[in-house]
Amino acid sequence: GVESHRRFFNKTIAIQKEHISLHKNITYLFNTLTESLPPTTRIEIHVKDLEELKEASTLGANLIVLENFDKNI
């Protein structure tokens, strides 16, 4: 079923397009967060294209958000 991911917002860190565009490396951002945050913190990654989705899907994020994703892919 469909569930609002915002209900977990108080315990969630989001890696968004602004963070990715600054660092160009989702893996680096994810690993830095997991090393410095409690293990109970949820991490969501917002991706904009297939390349970012492939990278994000290998990291173990709690949620991957397809943000402005091209539906014709």
Side-chain angles (χ1 to χ4, degrees), residues 3 5-6 14-17 20 26 43-58 61-73:
E3 180 179 322
H5 69 285
R6 292 291 176 210
I15 298 174
Q16 298 179 337
K17 62 183 177 184
I20 296 168
I26 297 171
I43 298 176
E44 65 182 49
I45 303 172
H46 295 233
V47 299
K48 69 177 184 326
D49 58 33
L50 193 55
E51 184 178 320
E52 288 183 358
L53 176 60
K54 286 179 182 177
E55 182 179 358
S57 68
T58 66
N62 299 97
L63 179 69
I64 297 175
V65 178
L66 306 178
E67 191 169 302
N68 300 319
F69 210 78
D70 185 358
K71 66 181 178 183
N72 296 318
I73 293 180

